[in-house]
Amino acid sequence: MPTTTAAQRREQARVEYDAFIKGCPTNQLLDRLSDKWVSLVVAALSGGPMRYSDLSRKIAGVSPKMLTQTLRTLERDGILTRTITPSVPVRVDYALTPLGSSLAGLLTAVKTWAETHIEEVHEARERYDTETA
Amino acid sequence: MPTTTAAQRREQARVEYDAFIKGCPTNQLLDRLSDKWVSLVVAALSGGPMRYSDLSRKIAGVSPKMLTQTLRTLERDGILTRTITPSVPVRVDYALTPLGSSLAGLLTAVKTWAETHIEEVHEARERYDTETA
DNA sequence: CCGCATCCTTAAGGATACTG
DNA sequence: CAGTATCCTTAAGGATGCGG
């Protein structure tokens, strides 16, 4: 009888795995792309700088909390800049950095792939669903 | 006094937004890529077909539930094939389809971008953190 | 060996109200 | 205008045991 259960071994593996991917650039980027608001913000800003209120209007259905949170992490990552104009009322502009623009380029590649292959995916789903039913 | 509150308008916008993205190929693909197990499975299979137990060993820390769930959706989407050999005990092989291979190609592009630019991101973070602190 | 069904936890994200 | 602070829900995902 082993002293470690399957769950314990998996837990151990998970910890090692987490430590591994923590330093993995690809996974860090996927984490960003996985955030649904990130891609929307980057896409919105790819047309040029926007103010906070513009973004909240353009990106329908986003709560102030998530918008701010998303903007902060993207600023920290050097994807966009935050410029405060201390007028009354205050004005804040967000704009993509060169790094942010290159990320937008990646999103364009994803978009292209999606548009090229989505039909195949839909066909595959229909086939799968009819065969399974 | 308006008959709709800000929350109601945002909710309305969210519903429209959801309806919009439901048919948006790019977002459907991002939903897939956002799933952390999806990229790992695709990456694992890009080296060739693997059995269920091989995958669960190679992808450290995955629970049987998530592995099966991931494999099923990918099969449904035509990304991979599932081949059952009715021996005793049963044997099941998973392999990428051509469509799956092209998705793996996209992941490679993401990987390349990440490796190229991760250093800039790290520098940006350090700058941000020291400036904020 | 492969994988489904069940239960349970927890953390992401939404609603809301208030401030500089 | 541009957020911050708080509370609260809910759904993704992990543990586990059984079945084909």
mmCIF file of all heavy atoms in Angstrom, chain B residues 33-55:
data_model
loop_
_atom_site.group_PDB
_atom_site.id
_atom_site.type_symbol
_atom_site.label_atom_id
_atom_site.label_comp_id
_atom_site.label_asym_id
_atom_site.label_seq_id
_atom_site.Cartn_x
_atom_site.Cartn_y
_atom_site.Cartn_z
ATOM 1 N N LEU B 33 -9.136 29.301 -26.458
ATOM 2 C CA LEU B 33 -7.750 29.532 -26.047
ATOM 3 C C LEU B 33 -7.673 29.917 -24.577
ATOM 4 O O LEU B 33 -6.660 29.688 -23.915
ATOM 5 C CB LEU B 33 -7.122 30.635 -26.900
ATOM 6 C CG LEU B 33 -6.911 30.299 -28.376
ATOM 7 C CD1 LEU B 33 -6.247 31.470 -29.091
ATOM 8 C CD2 LEU B 33 -6.062 29.047 -28.524
ATOM 9 N N SER B 34 -8.750 30.526 -24.095
ATOM 10 C CA SER B 34 -8.756 30.972 -22.715
ATOM 11 C C SER B 34 -8.746 29.784 -21.762
ATOM 12 O O SER B 34 -8.300 29.894 -20.633
ATOM 13 C CB SER B 34 -9.985 31.822 -22.442
ATOM 14 O OG SER B 34 -11.121 31.003 -22.221
ATOM 15 N N ASP B 35 -9.260 28.658 -22.237
ATOM 16 C CA ASP B 35 -9.261 27.469 -21.393
ATOM 17 C C ASP B 35 -7.840 26.938 -21.278
ATOM 18 O O ASP B 35 -7.234 26.505 -22.250
ATOM 19 C CB ASP B 35 -10.171 26.409 -22.020
ATOM 20 C CG ASP B 35 -10.349 25.227 -21.081
ATOM 21 O OD1 ASP B 35 -9.447 24.969 -20.257
ATOM 22 O OD2 ASP B 35 -11.385 24.554 -21.171
ATOM 23 N N LYS B 36 -7.331 26.994 -20.084
ATOM 24 C CA LYS B 36 -5.934 26.646 -19.901
ATOM 25 C C LYS B 36 -5.610 25.216 -20.307
ATOM 26 O O LYS B 36 -4.517 24.938 -20.796
ATOM 27 C CB LYS B 36 -5.539 26.911 -18.440
ATOM 28 C CG LYS B 36 -5.274 25.743 -17.564
ATOM 29 C CD LYS B 36 -5.174 26.207 -16.108
ATOM 30 C CE LYS B 36 -4.308 25.265 -15.292
ATOM 31 N NZ LYS B 36 -4.353 25.561 -13.858
ATOM 32 N N TRP B 37 -6.553 24.296 -20.147
ATOM 33 C CA TRP B 37 -6.276 22.908 -20.495
ATOM 34 C C TRP B 37 -6.259 22.684 -21.999
ATOM 35 O O TRP B 37 -5.563 21.797 -22.497
ATOM 36 C CB TRP B 37 -7.308 21.972 -19.844
ATOM 37 C CG TRP B 37 -7.315 22.074 -18.361
ATOM 38 C CD1 TRP B 37 -8.383 22.443 -17.579
ATOM 39 C CD2 TRP B 37 -6.239 21.820 -17.453
ATOM 40 N NE1 TRP B 37 -8.019 22.437 -16.259
ATOM 41 C CE2 TRP B 37 -6.721 22.055 -16.147
ATOM 42 C CE3 TRP B 37 -4.914 21.425 -17.626
ATOM 43 C CZ2 TRP B 37 -5.917 21.899 -15.021
ATOM 44 C CZ3 TRP B 37 -4.118 21.275 -16.504
ATOM 45 C CH2 TRP B 37 -4.625 21.511 -15.222
ATOM 46 N N VAL B 38 -7.021 23.478 -22.719
ATOM 47 C CA VAL B 38 -7.084 23.319 -24.161
ATOM 48 C C VAL B 38 -5.703 23.464 -24.792
ATOM 49 O O VAL B 38 -5.262 22.608 -25.561
ATOM 50 C CB VAL B 38 -8.059 24.340 -24.789
ATOM 51 C CG1 VAL B 38 -7.845 24.445 -26.288
ATOM 52 C CG2 VAL B 38 -9.500 23.935 -24.492
ATOM 53 N N SER B 39 -5.019 24.541 -24.446
ATOM 54 C CA SER B 39 -3.717 24.766 -25.063
ATOM 55 C C SER B 39 -2.732 23.670 -24.682
ATOM 56 O O SER B 39 -1.903 23.263 -25.489
ATOM 57 C CB SER B 39 -3.167 26.131 -24.674
ATOM 58 O OG SER B 39 -3.328 26.341 -23.288
ATOM 59 N N LEU B 40 -2.848 23.190 -23.449
ATOM 60 C CA LEU B 40 -1.935 22.137 -23.011
ATOM 61 C C LEU B 40 -2.189 20.832 -23.757
ATOM 62 O O LEU B 40 -1.242 20.133 -24.147
ATOM 63 C CB LEU B 40 -2.073 21.921 -21.500
ATOM 64 C CG LEU B 40 -1.557 23.088 -20.662
ATOM 65 C CD1 LEU B 40 -1.925 22.916 -19.200
ATOM 66 C CD2 LEU B 40 -0.053 23.218 -20.813
ATOM 67 N N VAL B 41 -3.466 20.512 -23.960
ATOM 68 C CA VAL B 41 -3.797 19.290 -24.688
ATOM 69 C C VAL B 41 -3.318 19.387 -26.127
ATOM 70 O O VAL B 41 -2.682 18.465 -26.650
ATOM 71 C CB VAL B 41 -5.317 19.015 -24.658
ATOM 72 C CG1 VAL B 41 -5.701 17.967 -25.683
ATOM 73 C CG2 VAL B 41 -5.751 18.582 -23.263
ATOM 74 N N VAL B 42 -3.607 20.510 -26.764
ATOM 75 C CA VAL B 42 -3.193 20.691 -28.156
ATOM 76 C C VAL B 42 -1.676 20.621 -28.275
ATOM 77 O O VAL B 42 -1.134 19.968 -29.170
ATOM 78 C CB VAL B 42 -3.716 22.032 -28.707
ATOM 79 C CG1 VAL B 42 -3.121 22.330 -30.081
ATOM 80 C CG2 VAL B 42 -5.229 22.008 -28.803
ATOM 81 N N ALA B 43 -0.998 21.273 -27.334
ATOM 82 C CA ALA B 43 0.459 21.249 -27.355
ATOM 83 C C ALA B 43 0.977 19.819 -27.187
ATOM 84 O O ALA B 43 1.886 19.388 -27.893
ATOM 85 C CB ALA B 43 1.013 22.139 -26.248
ATOM 86 N N ALA B 44 0.366 19.075 -26.264
ATOM 87 C CA ALA B 44 0.804 17.699 -26.003
ATOM 88 C C ALA B 44 0.629 16.830 -27.250
ATOM 89 O O ALA B 44 1.490 16.033 -27.597
ATOM 90 C CB ALA B 44 0.023 17.110 -24.831
ATOM 91 N N LEU B 45 -0.502 17.020 -27.928
ATOM 92 C CA LEU B 45 -0.805 16.177 -29.085
ATOM 93 C C LEU B 45 -0.068 16.613 -30.345
ATOM 94 O O LEU B 45 -0.028 15.860 -31.325
ATOM 95 C CB LEU B 45 -2.316 16.182 -29.358
ATOM 96 C CG LEU B 45 -3.164 15.401 -28.350
ATOM 97 C CD1 LEU B 45 -4.631 15.525 -28.702
ATOM 98 C CD2 LEU B 45 -2.753 13.931 -28.338
ATOM 99 N N SER B 46 0.514 17.794 -30.316
ATOM 100 C CA SER B 46 1.208 18.254 -31.523
ATOM 101 C C SER B 46 2.439 17.401 -31.807
ATOM 102 O O SER B 46 2.994 17.430 -32.901
ATOM 103 C CB SER B 46 1.589 19.727 -31.398
ATOM 104 O OG SER B 46 2.551 19.890 -30.378
ATOM 105 N N GLY B 47 2.842 16.622 -30.818
ATOM 106 C CA GLY B 47 3.966 15.721 -31.025
ATOM 107 C C GLY B 47 3.561 14.362 -31.555
ATOM 108 O O GLY B 47 4.404 13.516 -31.820
ATOM 109 N N GLY B 48 2.255 14.175 -31.724
ATOM 110 C CA GLY B 48 1.766 12.892 -32.195
ATOM 111 C C GLY B 48 0.640 12.377 -31.312
ATOM 112 O O GLY B 48 0.384 12.934 -30.242
ATOM 113 N N PRO B 49 -0.065 11.319 -31.739
ATOM 114 C CA PRO B 49 -1.216 10.763 -31.003
ATOM 115 C C PRO B 49 -0.814 10.287 -29.610
ATOM 116 O O PRO B 49 0.325 9.896 -29.385
ATOM 117 C CB PRO B 49 -1.648 9.576 -31.868
ATOM 118 C CG PRO B 49 -1.072 9.848 -33.227
ATOM 119 C CD PRO B 49 0.201 10.584 -32.982
ATOM 120 N N MET B 50 -1.749 10.362 -28.695
ATOM 121 C CA MET B 50 -1.495 9.888 -27.334
ATOM 122 C C MET B 50 -2.740 9.225 -26.759
ATOM 123 O O MET B 50 -3.858 9.548 -27.145
ATOM 124 C CB MET B 50 -1.101 11.062 -26.433
ATOM 125 C CG MET B 50 0.217 11.713 -26.777
ATOM 126 S SD MET B 50 0.627 13.043 -25.611
ATOM 127 C CE MET B 50 1.328 12.109 -24.259
ATOM 128 N N ARG B 51 -2.514 8.331 -25.821
ATOM 129 C CA ARG B 51 -3.631 7.681 -25.136
ATOM 130 C C ARG B 51 -4.089 8.552 -23.974
ATOM 131 O O ARG B 51 -3.365 9.435 -23.526
ATOM 132 C CB ARG B 51 -3.185 6.317 -24.600
ATOM 133 C CG ARG B 51 -2.727 5.392 -25.688
ATOM 134 C CD ARG B 51 -2.269 4.080 -25.114
ATOM 135 N NE ARG B 51 -3.335 3.424 -24.342
ATOM 136 C CZ ARG B 51 -3.234 2.203 -23.831
ATOM 137 N NH1 ARG B 51 -2.128 1.509 -24.006
ATOM 138 N NH2 ARG B 51 -4.214 1.669 -23.139
ATOM 139 N N TYR B 52 -5.280 8.234 -23.486
ATOM 140 C CA TYR B 52 -5.849 8.994 -22.368
ATOM 141 C C TYR B 52 -4.884 9.034 -21.184
ATOM 142 O O TYR B 52 -4.583 10.090 -20.640
ATOM 143 C CB TYR B 52 -7.174 8.364 -21.943
ATOM 144 C CG TYR B 52 -7.881 9.116 -20.845
ATOM 145 C CD1 TYR B 52 -8.778 10.126 -21.137
ATOM 146 C CD2 TYR B 52 -7.644 8.806 -19.500
ATOM 147 C CE1 TYR B 52 -9.433 10.824 -20.127
ATOM 148 C CE2 TYR B 52 -8.285 9.498 -18.490
ATOM 149 C CZ TYR B 52 -9.180 10.501 -18.807
ATOM 150 O OH TYR B 52 -9.806 11.174 -17.801
ATOM 151 N N SER B 53 -4.393 7.884 -20.821
ATOM 152 C CA SER B 53 -3.514 7.822 -19.646
ATOM 153 C C SER B 53 -2.189 8.537 -19.899
ATOM 154 O O SER B 53 -1.615 9.122 -18.976
ATOM 155 C CB SER B 53 -3.266 6.365 -19.257
ATOM 156 O OG SER B 53 -2.970 5.587 -20.391
ATOM 157 N N ASP B 54 -1.729 8.517 -21.138
ATOM 158 C CA ASP B 54 -0.514 9.261 -21.473
ATOM 159 C C ASP B 54 -0.733 10.758 -21.234
ATOM 160 O O ASP B 54 0.114 11.440 -20.651
ATOM 161 C CB ASP B 54 -0.134 9.043 -22.943
ATOM 162 C CG ASP B 54 0.335 7.615 -23.199
ATOM 163 O OD1 ASP B 54 0.805 6.966 -22.241
ATOM 164 O OD2 ASP B 54 0.202 7.152 -24.341
ATOM 165 N N LEU B 55 -1.880 11.225 -21.707
ATOM 166 C CA LEU B 55 -2.190 12.642 -21.569
ATOM 167 C C LEU B 55 -2.271 13.050 -20.103
ATOM 168 O O LEU B 55 -1.730 14.074 -19.701
ATOM 169 C CB LEU B 55 -3.520 12.962 -22.263
ATOM 170 C CG LEU B 55 -3.461 13.025 -23.792
ATOM 171 C CD1 LEU B 55 -4.866 13.080 -24.380
ATOM 172 C CD2 LEU B 55 -2.649 14.221 -24.249
#
